[in-house]
Amino acid sequence: MRNRTVIKADTRDAVAECVADRFIETVRTLLMEPDRVRVDVALSGGTDGTAVLRAINDSPMRDTIDWTRVHIWWGDERFVNAESDERNARGARKALLNTLMRSGAIDGSQVHEMPADPRTPEEIEAADQAENDELLARVTRAFQATIIEELGLKPTMSAIEDPELAKNHRTPALDIAMFGIGPDGHFASLFPGFPQTLIDDANILCVGVSDSPKQPPLRTTLTVPMINHSARVWLIGSGEAKAQAVKETYSRRNDPDWPASFARGTQETIWFTDQM
Ligand SMILES: O=C1O[C@H](COP(=O)(O)O)[C@@H](O)[C@H](O)[C@H]1O
């Protein structure tokens, strides 16, 4: 098993601060690598994910990062109107990104939001599951093309026969992917017993969920193959409500009933908690 670690802090706030400190230090270190052009990170919504972003925002070390070379992604998103408070991206803007954008440290081209629902409330109300599935399939296919364009070329490029061409292609990979863990053990929008959790085709990087057990029902999410190409996968679960999920997801391997048990970074996989 590749590098599974638990980092424990005493309180929920201390967990968020600990992740924030590690995030800042890791990004700074990566940006110092001689060949490094940029760092790509995936953020999370939810209570823990948003607390981490606030802690980064409040850190005296925040501005020691050269944010002009940091690109922002999300592990999952709620497929609702772009301005909805339910959007993980909107939560992230309020907690951190607005500060960075206002100061000019980050610009819009570095922020890669997952798609929002373009429909009117009436159209959403009238849509059936088949229409939702079709729309989600369409927008996630388009977003997958963005991932490939930004983070590497086609994940199947290793199959290309021309070795010279193949050398220039890499599997899309994030440098840091952070996830909150739900009390049911979900991470991103990969829920217990859901088929999306079981996708193991490396060509499928991003998919839709039209019947999420957690509101809102329509979502987009990175898949396990995409997540597990990340160098560093960080899972955050604080508070008593997450205690069992943290324990089960850390101690199990690839258990569909505890989706975060599938998480595995190529360099490190860390559970941050105040519970174990
Ligand atoms: O719906 C979601 O839930 C998880 C966990 O959220 P929490 O409120 O239980 O901490 C979150 O990580 C994910 O990004 C979000 O879409």
Side-chain angles (χ1 to χ4, degrees):
M1 177 53 50
R2 287 183 296 193
N3 307 329
R4 284 186 154 212
T5 315
V6 174
I7 296 184
K8 191 171 175 216
D10 289 340
T11 64
R12 301 191 73 177
D13 286 347
V15 171
E17 279 159 26
C18 174
V19 180
D21 290 349
R22 192 175 181 103
F23 176 90
I24 292 170
E25 192 48 40
T26 305
V27 173
R28 280 163 48 86
T29 305
L30 291 175
L31 287 173
M32 280 190 266
E33 291 175 354
D35 285 340
R36 171 73 60 172
V37 175
R38 63 192 245 186
V39 169
D40 286 89
V41 300
L43 310 180
S44 165
T47 43
D48 289 310
T50 308
V52 168
L53 300 184
R54 272 193 227 104
I56 296 171
N57 191 52
D58 295 345
S59 167
M61 298 297 282
R62 181 191 71 208
D63 296 333
T64 64
I65 289 180
D66 177 3
W67 289 99
T68 64
R69 296 165 64 204
V70 179
H71 282 245
I72 308 291
W73 301 83
W74 278 266
D76 76 317
E77 186 53 276
R78 289 93 183 270
F79 191 65
V80 289
N81 182 272
E83 296 313 314
S84 164
D85 278 338
E86 290 187 295
R87 294 277 293 172
N88 288 336
R90 192 163 159 84
R93 282 177 193 273
K94 286 186 185 166
L96 172 66
L97 300 180
N98 284 345
T99 310
L100 299 174
M101 291 176 104
R102 266 197 298 267
S103 70
I106 273 193
D107 82 25
S109 66
Q110 294 163 249
V111 179
H112 308 280
E113 271 193 41
M114 284 182 163
D117 195 331
R119 298 172 296 181
T120 63
E122 295 72 29
E123 288 169 334
I124 294 171
E125 178 70 32
D128 61 19
Q129 180 155 3
E131 283 171 65
N132 288 334
D133 284 335
E134 197 275 323
L135 177 57
L136 283 166
R138 191 146 38 87
V139 299
T140 51
R141 257 197 315 275
F143 192 69
Q144 168 152 330
T146 304
I147 295 174
I148 291 168
E149 195 185 326
E150 287 281 333
L151 294 180
L153 293 175
K154 290 194 190 307
T156 52
M157 278 299 180
S158 57
I160 279 189
E161 280 171 12
D162 178 348
E164 277 311 301
L165 195 57
K167 268 203 309 213
N168 297 326
H169 296 91
R170 62 188 179 101
T171 305
L174 294 155
D175 296 297
I176 303 173
M178 292 195 264
F179 301 94
I181 306 176
D184 58 354
H186 86 264
F187 75 135
S189 282
L190 299 169
F191 293 97
F194 273 57
Q196 292 85 351
T197 305
L198 297 176
I199 291 171
D200 60 359
D201 180 341
N203 294 304
I204 305 176
L205 310 178
C206 178
V207 292
V209 176
S210 60
D211 51 356
S212 162
K214 181 176 174 185
Q215 293 301 308
L218 306 188
R219 288 155 176 262
T220 56
T221 183
L222 299 184
T223 59
V224 167
M226 175 67 205
I227 292 168
N228 287 356
H229 279 135
S230 308
R232 298 159 195 79
V233 173
W234 297 352
L235 301 149
I236 311 152
S238 74
E240 269 174 46
K242 308 276 176 83
Q244 190 190 2
V246 169
K247 188 170 141 278
E248 304 287 356
T249 57
Y250 177 71
S251 59
R252 293 167 189 265
R253 304 284 183 271
N254 301 348
D255 182 338
D257 291 334
W258 296 97
S261 68
F262 282 88
R264 205 150 307 146
T266 59
Q267 291 184 24
E268 66 183 27
T269 316
I270 306 179
W271 275 252
F272 293 88
T273 186
D274 57 346
Q275 292 297 315
M276 294 227 295

